[in-house]
Amino acid sequence: MDKLIITGNGPLDGEVWASGAKNAALPILCATLLSEGPVTIGNLPHLQDITTTLELLGRMGVEPVLGERMTIQLDGAQVKDCHAPYELVKKMRASILVLGPLLAHFGTADVSLPGGCAIGSRPVDLHLRGLEAMGAEISVENGYVRARVPGGRLKGAHVFFDTVTVTGTENLLMAASLAAGTTVLENAAREPEIVDLADCLIKMGANISGHGTDTITVVGVERLHGCEYDVMPDRIETGTFLVAAAMTGGRVRVRKTRADILEAVLAKLEEAGASITTGADWIEADMQGKRPRAVNIRTAPYPAFPTDMQAQFVALNAVAQGTARVVETIFENRFMHVQELNRMGANIALEGNTAVITGVEQLSGAPVMATDLRASASLVVAATIARGETLVDRIYHIDRGYECIEEKLQLLGAKIRRVPG
Ligand code: EPZ
């Protein structure tokens, strides 16, 4: 297993670009199952999860065609087998996003039920209940969701989500696009990645309104066609590099990104003492050599502070001036990075869903273990400011969501290299 070796090397300084957003690319790739014609997708990040999704679509009969500008062309009309096998779903729980499109386009789907994951139990009951409200008959047998649509076509429904769910909203949004009649999704998630998916579906011919608000209305259409669509920039990757600037007292400009989808994060960076400047497609955080100030954080659904930036801000608070409280309200087990940061000399105590962090002057390098995607990002940024060498193990986690992390950090002056395991 590959590892990363990182030696603290003072303030990070320079420019990097944001890749396409993983959490927009995954549902958009699955949405191609709805099309009757080629969908050409651009700005796709080169990540393990993208590869897994293309493999999943390939198993169903959809052959990816590589185009100019590194685009990928996919045609849902090629589907021959509406089956998502365990060995792929276990690698990536977002595979559940094929369920809605397969049911809506082909009236049948067998999808392995995602298991729990490091950050929480993460059930998909709201996905299944919503699809049942649209007329699907669903059973869970032998670890698989077996779903059928008597009569072959889903019908519009009024769905209220008990809990705000990102992929639940995405699954029903895709299903409703080809359903007979109107669907209203209430208490829907408002994440920018959902707006990106809806914009792509609209280019395929869908009739959607209210995306980006907590009430989305979809008037189903008979069929969806091909289109060309570029995936939005990754706001979490962008935020991670800006936190690295703030932690190291440096100055980092992230290009090919958007400030309007990062308001909660940028506000917290300013509170920590960073000077934030933005342009049409760039954001710069400049700490002017200062030590960050401790900032309190409470995660919640968009537009509030994203849970996917929580671990990075725990790391920032670990070297900040003062004491901070970080409250995680979305996932029940998303503090696995805390003990690893304490191994690097941080002073963090856990009280239920709250991390109480007393900033220290200096972290020290140590061998640490990545446990999930964002936890691994927090260990990597912490290592860029720690005295001495840090060895980060199990970095397959970070490869799932960060494209060329070491090359990009090297551009900012970090001393980081990958060693094959
Ligand atoms: C998406 O996961 C993201 N993944 C996650 O990013 C992100 O952390 C999460 O949204 C929250 O923003 C993708 O987009 C691929 P949820 P998702 O359904 O959709 C409960 C990363 O680091 N729930 O919004 O799986 C659930 O247990 C990843 O890139 C139910 O109870 O998250 C959780 O407590 C990690 N029943 C809460 O809702 C359901 O049917 C929110 O989860 C669905 C969800």
Side-chain angles (χ1 to χ4, degrees), residues 10 21 39 86 89 108 127 163 187-188 204 208 284 292 333 361 367 374 393 407 414:
V39 177
Y86 173 68
V89 176
T108 177
H127 301 229
T163 306
N187 198 28
M204 292 163 68
I208 299 171
E284 181 176 289
N333 187 36
E361 292 277 344
R374 307 304 170 182
D393 199 352
E407 286 90 347

Side-chain angles (χ1 to χ4, degrees), residues 22-23 122-126 165-167 308 330 334 374:
K22 168 182 81 81
N23 290 348
R122 304 183 73 178
V124 293
D125 55 319
L126 301 175
T165 162
V166 173
T167 48
D308 294 348
I330 307 278
R334 201 169 203 180
R374 307 304 170 182

Side-chain angles (χ1 to χ4, degrees), residues 355-373:
V356 181
I357 308 148
T358 306
V360 298
E361 292 277 344
Q362 174 79 75
L363 293 174
S364 53
V368 292
M369 185 96 73
T371 49
D372 61 80
L373 170 56

Side-chain angles (χ1 to χ4, degrees), residues 22-24 26-27 49 92-97 117 119-129 161-170 189 191 193 234-236 300-302 306-309 328-332 334 372-375 400-402:
K22 168 182 81 81
N23 290 348
L26 298 179
D49 279 8
M92 184 191 72
R93 42 176 314 103
S95 310
I96 192 73
L97 287 167
C117 101
I119 66 176
S121 57
R122 304 183 73 178
V124 293
D125 55 319
L126 301 175
H127 301 229
L128 306 186
R129 215 181 309 151
F161 289 106
D162 295 348
T163 306
V164 173
T165 162
V166 173
T167 48
T169 300
E170 292 166 344
E191 269 65 7
E193 293 76 18
D234 196 312
R235 63 191 168 107
I236 306 298
Y302 191 88
T307 173
D308 294 348
M309 283 299 301
E328 173 57 55
T329 71
I330 307 278
F331 294 110
E332 64 272 26
R334 201 169 203 180
D372 61 80
L373 170 56
R374 307 304 170 182
R400 295 190 51 197
Y402 290 86

